[in-house]
Each structure stands twice: as structure tokens, then as C-alpha cells.
Amino acid sequence: MKATALAHPNIAFIKYWGNLDENLHIPANGSISLCLEGLTTRTSVLFDPSLEHDHLTLDGQSMQGEPLVRVSAFLDHVRRLARMNIYAQVNSGNNFPSGAGIASSASAFAALALAATSALGFELSEPALSSLARLGSGSACRSIPSGFVEWLPGTCHADSYAISIAPPCHWDLVDCIAIVDRSHKHTGSARGMALAHTSPLQAERIKTAPGRLDRCRQAILKHDFDAFADVVEEDSDLMHAVMRTSTPPLAYMQPATHRIVAAVRNWRKEGHAVCTTVDAGPNVHILCLADEQTFVQTRLKETPGVNEVLTAKPGSGACLAV
């Protein structure tokens, strides 16, 4: 009883930050994202009746403590669905930095959801698989469908899942990721998100989210980069404002992060089709049209504080390894 699945992280254009239900990861607002081709989590799951507990190997290293507890708790959901009680050996690895604000938990639990259900011999619909992945990490639901994806927030487990609003080929965008720091962030997204309600700005952010969702969705469908850039940067700024005003305050950005964001926004003023968004981490996603990729990569490599530049185009959803 073994299966291997691949999944990509996703970059949120309209952010997920804060839950209505912390246990089920039902979000306070919907979100829109893009699966990132070329950045991949590969996860194998082997259910073995001889095992006395679950085992987790991540990037070749045996894991204990919180990572194993989190994976084992997720596998409990799968075991309940399958009506089986068999422990598993999970082997997972990324070809991009983990825990640094590049949505490694999203691709990890998307791949784990597909590999685990397949290993136990049952197939879920895409919405049901997306809902299942959400139980491991909220944003993992967005790494199940392909391309440009919208998370329908819902109000319960069954109706909170992600759908594709456009395939990867719909728009030739490129995500150039400026790596400032590859290390794990000091406060994980789940812990940071639990503080969102303490910010005096969160309620207004949630109230105005539907308008930003509509603006972003329409910009994507119409290939309107200017409108897209405006709403993506607005939403990113709002999320980080909530972080800074939470109790205790969170500051994921580093000085280099701010320098890169300022530089990219100046490039747009000069006429380049570029914009920025920053997840819960110090690294900066520079979104651009494909014909701007060489310009962006060249300028980023000249920018102080940029250690590496990763690039990704619109990608597919989670799939089984051949």
C-alpha cells in the first residue's frame, strides 16, 4: 500500500490570514493564488501493518516532535476516511527552501493528501481532496487544482475548498522569487495567523476582501496587468499591516525585503509590467509578464540582499508520480 505524489507550492495574490475555525482551517476570507511550476514537493506514503507508529523523513532527515505530530494527525483523517488503522512511513522532499515563506506546507500537505488516499486505494473528487488537504494546512487546498486558483471559504468542512478559475496556459505570468533568507521563519504561519484577530485592522481587511477578490479575478480573466498589480500589492500590504499590529506584533520582512519591494515598485513606475507580493516570510515574489523575466532576473541579481533568484511559471495541480 504505497503511492507517491507531486505538488507545487502556490503564491497567494489575495491572501489567507486568519480563520473562522482554527481546527478546520476555515478561512476568514476567500483567496486567489497561482500554482508554481518547477517548485515541487515529492511525497511517498507507505502504509505498513508492521509499524507501531508513523514515521516521517523530510529532505532525507528523520523528523520527530511537531512535524511528525502534524503529519500523523493528518494521516488520522485519512485513516478515518478509509476505515483503516495502519501506520505509515512518509518520505517527503522539496527542491526549494522549506519554511521560508514559499508555501512549503501547502505543497507538502497537498502531496500528502493525494499520496495517502491513493496508497489506501480510494479516490476523492478534486473538491473533496482539496478540503482534505486543507486540514493539514489551509493553503494546501489551493495546491490541489491547476493554474489560477480560488479558495471558496465556505462555512464548514465540505464547502471550503479550492477551484481552478483559469488553466496554467491562460496567462503567461512568471514569478521571480528573490531569496533573502533560506532559514525557517521564527513564527510559523499557523501560529502567526492565530494572532490576526488581535489586530485592530483585521476586521476591516476581512470586510473589504470580497471587493479585492473580484478585482483580482477580473484582472486575471482579462489579462489586465495594471489592475492585477494594484490589487495584489494592496492586499499584500494589508496583510503585513495586520501582522505588524497584532499582539504580539509580527515582522516577517527584513531590511532587504523592504529594499526589494521599493525597487520593484520603482521599476513599475518606469513602465515595466512587474509587481510584488510577500507571504509570511522575508522572501519577495516579483510577478511579471514573461517578456519582463530577463529584466527582472538581471536587476534582482544586482540588488543588495538578494542571495538567489528562483523562477516559476503557472503550474499544474497535485498529481501522482509516474
Side-chain angles (χ1 to χ4, degrees):
M1 293 186 289
K2 181 179 180 180
T4 300
L6 308 175
H8 305 300
N10 61 76
I11 177 59
F13 304 146
I14 304 300
K15 305 296 191 185
Y16 158 50
W17 195 254
N19 289 304
L20 291 180
D21 187 313
E22 295 288 348
N23 293 323
L24 295 178
H25 303 147
I26 306 295
N29 63 274
S31 58
I32 293 177
S33 62
L34 176 67
C35 286
L36 300 176
E37 191 72 41
L39 307 182
T40 306
T41 297
R42 181 184 183 94
T43 300
S44 296
V45 178
L46 169 65
F47 284 96
D48 183 347
S50 70
L51 294 177
E52 296 182 355
H53 58 84
D54 293 318
H55 296 261
L56 171 63
T57 300
L58 178 60
D59 292 327
Q61 200 169 17
S62 180
M63 306 299 291
Q64 302 295 327
E66 184 178 352
L68 177 59
V69 169
R70 193 174 175 188
V71 164
S72 191
F74 180 79
L75 290 174
D76 285 342
H77 294 295
V78 179
R79 283 185 277 257
R80 281 192 289 271
L81 281 174
R83 297 181 180 180
M84 296 182 182
N85 192 26
I86 306 171
Y87 293 113
Q89 171 67 55
V90 177
N91 295 316
S92 188
N94 302 319
N95 69 351
F96 61 95
S98 302
I102 312 181
S104 57
S105 63
S107 55
F109 281 98
L112 181 60
L114 180 54
T117 52
S118 298
L120 288 180
F122 66 99
E123 183 177 344
L124 297 177
S125 67
E126 186 173 274
L129 187 62
S130 177
S131 289
L132 176 63
R134 191 199 70 243
L135 297 176
S137 172
S139 57
C141 75
R142 299 190 309 231
S143 285
I144 295 295
S146 291
F148 297 83
V149 171
E150 181 166 358
W151 181 359
L152 308 176
T155 57
C156 66
H157 175 64
D159 65 7
S160 183
Y161 56 85
I163 61 171
S164 176
I165 59 173
C169 63
H170 170 74
W171 199 9
D172 203 6
L173 287 184
V174 178
D175 184 8
C176 298
I177 309 167
I179 303 297
V180 170
D181 190 343
R182 294 178 70 97
S183 62
H184 275 258
K185 52 200 175 191
H186 52 84
T187 303
S189 296
R191 290 181 179 176
M193 206 174 297
L195 302 174
H197 72 281
T198 67
S199 166
L201 306 179
Q202 175 72 343
E204 185 65 18
R205 190 188 76 84
I206 299 305
K207 178 182 176 182
T208 56
R212 291 191 300 281
L213 282 163
D214 186 59
R215 287 163 55 198
C216 185
R217 188 187 311 109
Q218 292 304 313
I220 291 170
L221 296 178
K222 295 176 180 178
H223 299 164
D224 186 340
F225 191 86
D226 288 339
F228 173 77
D230 286 344
V231 72
V232 167
E233 291 189 341
E234 176 186 334
D235 196 81
S236 179
D237 289 347
L238 281 169
M239 182 182 74
H240 284 274
V242 167
M243 293 171 175
R244 290 192 299 271
T245 54
S246 295
T247 303
L250 297 171
Y252 288 105
M253 292 186 177
Q254 297 179 8
T257 310
H258 292 288
R259 285 197 300 270
I260 296 163
V261 168
V264 174
R265 293 184 181 184
N266 281 332
W267 301 343
R268 188 156 87 255
K269 289 177 183 177
E270 294 169 359
H272 294 281
V274 296
C275 68
T276 64
T277 189
V278 183
D279 276 349
N283 302 311
V284 185
H285 294 257
I286 297 89
L287 303 164
C288 65
L289 296 180
D291 59 8
E292 297 277 12
Q293 180 178 345
T294 300
F295 166 80
V296 172
Q297 288 176 308
T298 301
R299 293 297 296 271
L300 284 175
K301 290 174 183 177
E302 297 170 350
T303 303
V306 177
N307 298 319
E308 182 183 3
V309 179
L310 305 177
T311 60
K313 294 185 176 182
S316 56
C319 64
L320 291 173
V322 177

